[in-house]
Amino acid sequence: MADQLSALDASFLEIEEQDDASHMHVGWAMVFDRLPGAGGESTAPSAQDVMDQVEVRLNALPRFRERLSRPHSGGLSRPSWEPDERFDVANHVKLAALPSPGGEKELMEWLGDFWSHRLDRALPLWELALVSGLADGRWALVTKTHHSLVDGMSGVDVTNLLLDATPDAQWPPENGEAKGEDAAESSPGQPWWALRAARAGAGVLTHPRRSAGDILRGGRAVLDLIVHEELVGAPPTSLNVSISGTRRFAVARSDLNEMKAVKGALGGTFNDVVLAAVTGALRAFLQQRGDELPDRALRAMVPVSLRSSGEEGTLGNRVSSLFVDLPVATSDPAARYAEVMAAAEELKAGSQAVGSDLLVRTSGLVPPAVHALALRTMFSPRLFNLTITNIPGPPRTLYAFGAPMREVLPLVPVFAQHAVGIAVVSYAGGVYFGLNADSVSVRDLDVLSRAIEESIAELVATAGKARPRPSPVR
């Protein structure tokens, strides 16, 4: 039986249709050590090995064998997911090799190009690339999955099926149970990241299950959202310009314990540390560009998970948005952190997430052509300057084909008139900031990635001078 897309799922199709420069896929680049015992030139699994593994494990994600009932979202109803009778995993698993020496520069350039191309809507909306030729015999699995299929918060992606808790884990599990310690977390019913990522998003708000009273208050929330955020709009910046269809990618790295130490000393939540680090980096970045710092704070759209208990690991989109002020005009890092933390506290008591969720859902009751008008409001540069999403990942090392995964580099899409998007994920003691940007208007993306690392170092130094403060558990 066909399953119709929700209004929010379909919105990501409509955004692409409104602007040729927008690509609504999310993604991950996962970097692994060479295969255990690998010698000579073969340090990575073969494409056939990857296809065989995906073919077997896709039984846990049947949606990834389905395609859209029609390629476009216009008309009087939204498309549905329907089985692809001609499904062939070979159409979805790609093989690539980096040019020598296979370092950071070569990988970032390849990722930018791979993520510059849209998915084929005639097929199930995902791709997986096996990339070899990384320095020191490393290799990578890189995913591209349409936002209409997953929300980036659920943690469910085809690559999760290839990740194991131990190097000797077996699939399919024997007697219905995966082998090795921590195996329960890698069973088909509990894919990696599904449980933790259900609590992802802003980190500044845990959104409760909505009651009837919440829905009745939703009308006022929508009005507050549109009136306040539109009348007091996000300031214009050099990051809010027409963008091309090609992308540039960069990464900034940090230590999870150091960032947690900032939270412990300055208070707030881990997400406050992320937002404050990005705020400081944007301040330095705009100044280096010669931009005049705006009097008003920049505004970030921060996705918030609305998944309730029992929805962990499900597909589709269950997210709303918060619009968070980033005080780039504040020069002192301690004062800047305090302002970010205060803004987050204010949002906890507000109704933004209810309003944005209700606006999209209510507009979904009308034909898609009319629904598209609401999207222009929700994703307008008048509302926000950039997207920042923060997803907590697994705390321990995971494996694929017996090789340990060393890094996870996340991708969030950019919208029309938004030249930069930042995705953040923690994994095995590290924190990775994935920077997705327009390749034409943001040729200096490496400056922003360095500025993030420098901003974090500045916060660590500031925290070292402060007395520890209690903060809520997030």
Side-chain angles (χ1 to χ4, degrees):
M1 181 177 177
D3 182 13
Q4 188 178 58
L5 274 71
S6 70
L8 183 53
D9 293 344
S11 70
F12 295 107
L13 300 176
E14 293 163 9
I15 289 169
E16 283 189 334
E17 291 162 17
Q18 291 176 12
D19 192 308
D20 289 340
S22 296
H23 312 321
M24 290 295 107
H25 46 254
V26 296
W28 306 91
M30 291 160 288
V31 178
F32 298 84
D33 281 350
R34 64 173 62 223
L35 291 181
E41 296 182 1
S42 178
T43 62
S46 68
Q48 189 61 53
D49 287 341
V50 173
M51 285 190 287
D52 290 345
Q53 286 271 31
V54 170
E55 186 72 58
V56 171
R57 299 186 181 202
L58 271 183
N59 293 330
L61 280 181
R63 175 60 53 81
F64 279 72
R65 297 180 188 268
E66 297 178 346
R67 61 180 179 85
L68 294 171
S69 58
R70 63 177 190 274
H72 301 292
S73 60
L76 298 178
S77 64
R78 298 187 295 275
S80 300
W81 298 110
E82 62 180 25
D84 182 2
E85 303 297 341
R86 298 179 297 176
F87 177 80
D88 184 350
V89 71
N91 291 329
H92 299 270
V93 176
K94 313 297 180 182
L95 185 62
L98 294 186
S100 182
E104 180 101 337
K105 177 177 179 293
E106 289 77 22
L107 178 59
M108 295 302 114
E109 289 180 353
W110 187 90
L111 290 173
D113 179 70
F114 178 70
W115 284 325
S116 292
H117 302 281
R118 291 185 174 184
L119 290 156
D120 185 347
R121 291 195 183 182
L123 300 171
L125 294 177
W126 63 274
E127 286 182 6
L128 174 66
L130 168 63
V131 184
S132 60
L134 279 68
D136 300 320
R138 291 187 171 188
W139 52 280
L141 292 173
V142 184
T143 180
K144 184 192 316 183
T145 308
H146 202 278
H147 218 324
S148 61
L149 183 58
V150 297
D151 63 15
M153 316 287 270
S154 66
V156 176
D157 203 337
V158 67
T159 46
N160 286 320
L161 298 177
L162 296 177
L163 298 177
D164 299 313
T166 62
D168 59 348
Q170 295 185 12
W171 194 288
E174 295 181 357
N175 301 320
E177 296 182 1
K179 297 182 68 176
E181 70 175 303
D182 304 326
E185 293 178 275
S186 63
S187 67
Q190 295 177 305
W192 275 105
W193 296 348
L195 300 182
R196 292 182 60 82
R199 299 188 293 274
V204 298
L205 175 67
T206 300
H207 196 86
R209 182 185 296 274
R210 279 199 304 273
S211 64
D214 293 327
I215 295 173
L216 290 175
R217 289 189 293 271
R220 180 175 179 179
V222 171
L223 181 63
D224 289 345
L225 173 70
I226 295 176
V227 171
H228 179 265
E229 304 302 340
E230 274 287 320
L231 293 183
V232 188
T237 74
S238 61
L239 298 180
N240 299 112
V241 295
S242 296
I243 62 174
S244 71
T246 57
R247 300 290 177 262
R248 192 180 302 272
F249 188 78
V251 62
R253 299 172 176 86
S254 183
D255 181 85
L256 179 60
N257 287 333
E258 285 191 350
M259 294 184 67
K260 285 184 174 180
V262 172
K263 176 176 73 76
L266 302 182
T269 67
F270 181 78
N271 198 71
D272 293 335
V273 183
V274 169
L275 294 176
V278 174
T279 302
L282 288 170
R283 171 184 168 84
F285 182 61
L286 293 175
Q287 286 179 320
Q288 184 150 340
R289 284 188 144 206
D291 287 17
E292 183 177 347
L293 293 177
D295 294 332
R296 302 193 306 280
L298 266 63
R299 187 175 296 145
M301 181 182 74
V302 182
V304 183
S305 178
L306 299 184
R307 292 178 185 275
S308 58
S309 177
E311 292 184 312
E312 297 91 343
T314 57
L315 293 171
N317 286 271
R318 289 291 290 119
V319 294
S320 187
S321 302
L322 291 178
F323 298 97
V324 184
D325 286 345
L326 307 179
V328 294
T330 302
S331 59
D332 179 68
R336 194 164 57 233
Y337 186 91
E339 290 181 41
V340 167
M341 187 168 59
E345 288 293 327
E346 182 179 353
L347 288 174
K348 290 177 188 177
S351 58
Q352 267 195 21
V354 174
S356 59
D357 176 52
L358 188 62
L359 178 60
V360 173
R361 290 191 305 110
T362 304
S363 64
L365 299 176
V366 300
V370 181
H371 180 219
L373 297 177
L375 296 179
R376 292 191 178 95
T377 297
M378 285 301 300
F379 298 102
S380 164
R382 282 281 300 165
L383 277 182
F384 65 98
N385 300 103
L386 77 164
T387 303
I388 305 174
T389 180
N390 173 25
I391 303 173
R396 289 168 292 187
T397 300
L398 300 183
Y399 302 82
F401 301 94
M405 182 169 70
R406 294 306 181 193
E407 293 190 330
V408 184
L409 314 181
L411 174 87
V412 66
V414 293
F415 300 92
Q417 302 290 315
H418 297 84
V420 172
I422 300 176
V424 185
V425 65
S426 58
Y427 167 66
V431 182
Y432 302 91
F433 293 69
L435 282 60
N436 185 29
D438 171 41
S439 66
V440 175
S441 59
V442 192
R443 299 180 185 275
D444 50 352
L445 188 61
D446 58 323
V447 175
L448 180 58
S449 65
R450 288 196 302 271
I452 289 176
E453 294 178 351
E454 291 166 0
S455 181
I456 294 171
E458 185 179 50
L459 286 173
V460 170
T462 301
K465 302 173 185 176
R467 293 181 178 179
R469 294 180 54 185
S471 59
V473 177
R474 297 282 176 195

